[in-house]
Amino acid sequence: MTALVLVLALLQAAPAESASVDAQAEADRLFRLGNQLVAEGDTAGAVAAWEGATQIGWTSAAVEHNLGTVALARGDVARARLHLERAARLAPRDAAVARNLSLARERAGEPPPSQTRRLWAHVLGVLRPLGAVALALALAFGALGLFVADRRRWAAGLGALAAVAVAGAAFAVWEATRPVGVVLVDDAAVLEAPSPAAPGVARLRAGETVEVGTEAAGWRPVTVGRADGWVRADAVVPI
Amino acid sequence: MPTPSVRRTRSGSRRLGPEASGVAWLPALMLLSLLLGPAAPAAAQSATATVSTQQVRVGETLTYTVTLRGGRGRGVGPPLATGGLQLVSQQPILDVTTSLNGSTERRVAWAYRGARPGTGRIGQFRAEVGGQAVIVDAVGITVRGGPAMPAPSAAPTGDGELFVRAEPSRQTAVVGQQVMVDYVLYFEPQIQPRQTSPIGTWDAAGAWREEMEIASAYPRATTLGGRPYEAVTIRRVALFPTRSGTLELAPMRFTVDLIRTDRSFSNDPFAPFFSPFNQRFEDREVTAPAVSIDVAPLPDGAPPSFAGAVGQFEMTTTADDAAVEAGEPVRLRVALRGNGNVATLEAPELRVPPGVDAYDPREDREVLRTGTTFRGVKTFTYTLVPQGGGRFEVPAAPWTYYDPADGQYKTLRVPPVEIVAEGEALADAAAPPDPDAPAALLTSADWRRQRGRPVWLWAVLGGGLALPAIAASLLWGARAGHQRLTAETPAKRSRRVGADVRRRLEAARALDGPAASAETERALRAFLADRFGAPAGPRSAEALDRALAPDVPDGLRRRTLDVLAACARGQFAPGLDDAHGAVIDDAEAVIADLDALPAAGPPRRRFALPTTAG
C-alpha cells in the first residue's frame, strides 16, 4: 500500500518537475539570447529577453546583474539599482555585482558606505543570513555544552560570543527580510493616505530605497525615515 | 525616292545615275519580268539601293533599302555609316524575299539616324549573290541641325493606334522595396514597330533605378477598351524607393520607327511586292504618362543591425583555414544573395577581438537583370590578420533585412569564427580599467527558483535559540531534582535515623549479652543525636543531661539516662546486667516518649518503632 502511494506521488510529481526543468532551460536560453543580442548592439532586445527569463519562475544573479548593468549604461539609475540590489541579494560576494551596485548607489546620490558597513557586508556575504544564524546557534549550543560540563568560565566566554552572534544573525535576518523597494519615478510624492487628494508627506528621488508594504488598490505604503505614507504602486518596486 | 548608283559586276555592268527616279522603275521591272514569263532567261545578279531621303535633321532617321536580284545573297549587312550619320541597328527593319517565275528578289532595309549636322555617308554595300559579288556605291546624305527637343509632357501622347504607358508591378510599396516598371508599347495591327529609343533623360527622384534587360521583344495580342492591340515591353526598370511619400515617375518619351501598312492591301499576298509603297516608314514619338507610387516608411522596431536592406535574402559564409601564423591573413567571405537592391547592401559589421586587425571588406557584385525581378549576389570578403599568437574568436555578426512579403524584419548571422594563430602571444596592451566604468556583463547564470523574502529565517533563528534555552531549563530542573533527592534534610535524616534505630533495636533483640546492650545503646544515642542534637560520642551522663535539658522533661530525661546506664552495665558488668529484654523494652519506650515530645523546630516525622515499643 505504501509503495502504491509512493508511486502515485512520484507520478504526480514528475510532470511538475519536468515543467520546472523546461522552465529553467527556457530561462537559460533567454539569458544566452540576451547576451547574444547585446553583443550585437540590440540592447532593447537583450533587455526583453532577460526580463522574459525572470518571468518564468526562475532567477539568477547574472540576469539581474546584466539588466542592471544595461540600465546603468543607459543612464536609468533607478532600474539599475533595482536589478543590482536584487543581484547583490542573490550573489553578495560577486565582484562585478558589487562594483556595479556601488556605481548605481553612487549615481543615485547615496553616500558611500562606512568601513564598518563594508566589513559587515563582507562578513554577511561570506556567511549569508542562514550562515549567520547557524553560527549563532552553534555558539549558543557550545556555550550550553560548556555550562553542562561545568566549565563555567569557558561557558561564560562562549556565551558572550554567542550573544553577539545571535544579535548579528538577527540583524542579518532583519536585513534579508526587510521589505525594501527602489523608487523608479523621480520626485514621487508620498501622501498621507492612498488618495491623490491626500496631503503630501515627502517626495522621493528616483533610485532611492524605501521600506515598502503590500500594494493595495494601486497604492503602496512606504516608510521614509520616521514618516509613513503612500505612493503610487508603480513608483516603487520591491527589491 | 533617290537612288544611289548601282553597279553590277561580272554578270553585267549597268549604271544608273543617282538622278534616276525610282518611283516607277521597280513596278515596271516587275511587270516586265512577269510578261517575260518562264521563257525569259534568269535575271542576272545585281544589287540596287535606295534611300528614303537625302536630307535629314539631327535625330531623324532615314531608310536605306537594298534590292538584290538573282538570289538571297550572302554577307548581307548594313553599310558603314560615317560623318553625321549613324546606324540605328544592325538588325534590318525590312527583309523581304520574293520568288516569281524563277527569279528571286530580296529587299533589305536599315535605318540610319542623323547624329550631327553636316554631311553623312552611307558606305559601299557589298554582298555576294548567286556566287557573284555585287557592289552598290556609297551615298551621301545631308544632315541638318535639328530643332530644339520638345520638353517632356506629363500628358499622355500617342493616339489610339500607338501609345506607350508605364505599368508598375505595384502601386504601393515600402521604402527600399523593389518596384518593377514596364513600359509597354501598344499598337494596332497595321503598325509594325521596328525600333524604339528613349528620348532625353528620365527622372524618378526618390528612387534607386536599375535598368533591366528584356529577353523577348515579340509582341503579344491584347485588348484594351474593346480594341485589339499588339503590345510589347520596350523598357523595364527596377525602382527602389529611397524615401517615403509619393514616388513620381516622370513621363518618358520614346521615338518609334515603324512601318505602317495600308490595310486595303492587306488581303493581297503580293501587295508588298507590287505595292511596296503601301508600307510607309514612319518615325513617331510617344510619351508614357507619369505614374505615381505610394511609398510607406519601414515599420518601427528595426534591430540595430538593419542597414536598409529590403527584399528576400539568404547568407552563405565561407572562411579560409582559420589556423594561420601570426600576421597571416584569414579571409572570410560572406555572400548575400536574393531579390532586392543588391547594389546597396551594406556589409555585416564584424566585431573583431583585440589583437586582430580587420580591413574593410572587399565587395563583389553580380546582378541578374533578366526576368521580372532584380536580383543578384553581393559578396563581402573580410581580411582578418591576427597580430600575435593565440586564439581569437570573432563573434557572430547579425545582418538584418526587411522582408516585405512577410512584413517583418529578419536577421541572418555570420557564424562566429575562431582564429588560431601560431606565434608569440601579444603582450596585454589593455588599457587600465576605468574606475567609473561598470563591470562587464555576466555570461553564465546560476539559476534558482524565485522565492519571496526569507522570513523563515526568523523561525530558524528563534527556534534554534529556543532549543538551548529549553535544554538549559531541562538541565537545571534535572540538577535541582537530583539535589533535592540527594540533599540531607532533617526529615530525611530522621527517616534514616529512625530506620537505623529500628534496625539496631531489632538487632539487639536478636543478640545476647554485651552485644545486645551495645546495640541498644547505639540505637538510643542515634535517636538522641538526631532528635535533640545530643552528641553521639560523649558518654558523660552530665553532658547528655545538659544536651537534653532544654527539650526533655526531667522524668523522661532521668529515664533516658537510666536506660543508657543499664546498657552500660550490660556491656561492662554482665553480672549486674538487667534483664535483656527489659532494657530493650525500656529503650523503645523512652524513644517513643521522646519522639512524642513537641518539636521546637520544623515538624518532624515521628519514628515508627517496632510494635513491641510501648
Side-chain angles (χ1 to χ4, degrees), chain B residues 8-196:
Chain B
R8 182 177 59 188
T9 61
R10 294 190 183 181
S11 59
S13 59
R14 187 168 64 107
R15 286 180 178 270
L16 296 176
E19 67 282 359
S21 171
V23 174
W25 68 266
L26 188 56
L29 179 61
M30 295 303 156
L31 181 59
L32 180 60
S33 298
L34 288 172
L35 291 176
L36 290 176
Q45 293 80 5
S46 65
T48 59
T50 60
V51 291
S52 58
T53 180
Q54 289 191 306
Q55 289 187 352
V56 294
R57 293 182 180 277
V58 173
E60 291 181 347
T61 58
L62 61 89
T63 304
Y64 177 87
T65 306
V66 173
T67 303
L68 303 174
R69 297 183 185 85
R72 283 184 50 79
R74 294 176 58 188
V76 177
L80 182 66
T82 56
L85 281 179
Q86 67 180 26
L87 179 68
V88 174
S89 172
Q90 291 283 335
Q91 296 297 319
I93 60 174
L94 176 68
D95 190 350
V96 178
T97 303
T98 305
S99 295
L100 186 65
N101 296 325
S103 175
T104 299
E105 182 180 287
R106 180 184 180 190
R107 288 195 302 142
V108 187
W110 292 272
Y112 292 82
R113 178 185 293 119
R116 60 179 181 273
T119 301
R121 184 170 183 271
I122 300 176
Q124 195 179 58
F125 173 82
R126 290 171 177 271
E128 181 181 322
V129 180
Q132 301 293 324
V134 294
I135 299 173
V136 179
D137 292 337
V139 58
I141 303 293
T142 301
V143 181
R144 294 180 176 175
M149 298 293 285
S153 170
T157 60
D159 51 31
E161 65 176 10
L162 178 72
F163 61 93
V164 65
R165 69 183 188 184
E167 297 180 351
S169 60
R170 56 179 60 249
Q171 296 296 329
T172 61
V174 295
V175 172
Q177 185 176 4
Q178 181 172 166
V179 179
M180 194 64 70
V181 181
D182 280 359
Y183 286 87
V184 182
L185 181 68
Y186 291 89
F187 52 94
E188 290 187 339
Q190 74 272 14
I191 293 174
Q192 298 175 35
R194 307 302 300 175
Q195 183 83 14
T196 61

Side-chain angles (χ1 to χ4, degrees), chain B residues 121-372:
Chain B
R121 184 170 183 271
I122 300 176
Q124 195 179 58
F125 173 82
R126 290 171 177 271
E128 181 181 322
V129 180
Q132 301 293 324
V134 294
I135 299 173
V136 179
D137 292 337
V139 58
I141 303 293
T142 301
V143 181
R144 294 180 176 175
M149 298 293 285
S153 170
T157 60
D159 51 31
E161 65 176 10
L162 178 72
F163 61 93
V164 65
R165 69 183 188 184
E167 297 180 351
S169 60
R170 56 179 60 249
Q171 296 296 329
T172 61
V174 295
V175 172
Q177 185 176 4
Q178 181 172 166
V179 179
M180 194 64 70
V181 181
D182 280 359
Y183 286 87
V184 182
L185 181 68
Y186 291 89
F187 52 94
E188 290 187 339
Q190 74 272 14
I191 293 174
Q192 298 175 35
R194 307 302 300 175
Q195 183 83 14
T196 61
S197 303
I199 301 174
T201 58
W202 177 70
D203 190 22
W208 177 284
R209 182 176 66 186
E210 291 284 352
E211 291 288 338
M212 300 292 289
E213 296 172 1
I214 302 170
S216 170
Y218 291 109
R220 61 185 185 276
T222 185
T223 302
L224 290 177
R227 297 177 63 180
Y229 282 99
E230 299 284 325
V232 64
T233 300
I234 58 175
R235 190 178 190 186
R236 178 171 289 161
V237 182
L239 297 176
F240 301 93
T242 56
R243 60 172 182 250
S244 60
T246 301
L247 174 62
E248 294 284 353
L249 306 184
M252 185 181 286
R253 294 191 303 132
F254 295 88
T255 58
V256 182
D257 298 342
L258 57 87
I259 299 175
R260 179 188 298 279
T261 302
D262 188 342
R263 302 186 72 165
S264 61
F265 291 90
S266 61
N267 294 328
D268 184 357
F270 302 107
F273 187 78
F274 289 104
S275 306
F277 295 102
N278 286 329
Q279 288 185 323
R280 300 196 309 271
F281 293 92
E282 294 182 10
D283 292 337
R284 293 281 297 274
E285 183 177 310
V286 291
T287 301
V291 171
S292 63
I293 297 169
D294 293 331
V295 181
L298 288 166
D300 294 333
S305 57
F306 176 70
V310 177
Q312 292 84 32
F313 298 96
E314 59 185 25
M315 175 187 289
T316 55
T317 305
T318 57
D320 290 349
D321 184 4
V324 295
E325 294 287 335
E328 294 292 323
V330 174
R331 289 186 176 81
L332 175 68
R333 296 171 190 82
V334 179
L336 296 170
R337 183 188 312 273
N339 296 329
N341 195 356
V342 176
T344 59
L345 295 183
E346 296 282 346
E349 184 179 355
L350 295 187
R351 297 189 176 191
V352 296
V356 176
D357 287 351
Y359 298 90
D360 289 341
R362 193 185 74 228
E363 300 180 5
D364 298 299
R365 184 178 63 171
E366 293 178 22
V367 296
L368 289 175
R369 299 178 185 276
T370 56
T372 56

Side-chain angles (χ1 to χ4, degrees), chain A residues 20 36 39-40 100 148 177, chain B residues 351 413 439 449-450 453 475:
Chain A
S20 173
Q36 181 178 348
E40 295 168 357
N100 289 359
V148 170
T177 58
Chain B
R351 297 189 176 191
R413 286 183 171 80
R449 293 179 189 278
Q450 285 182 345
R453 288 177 290 117
L475 186 63

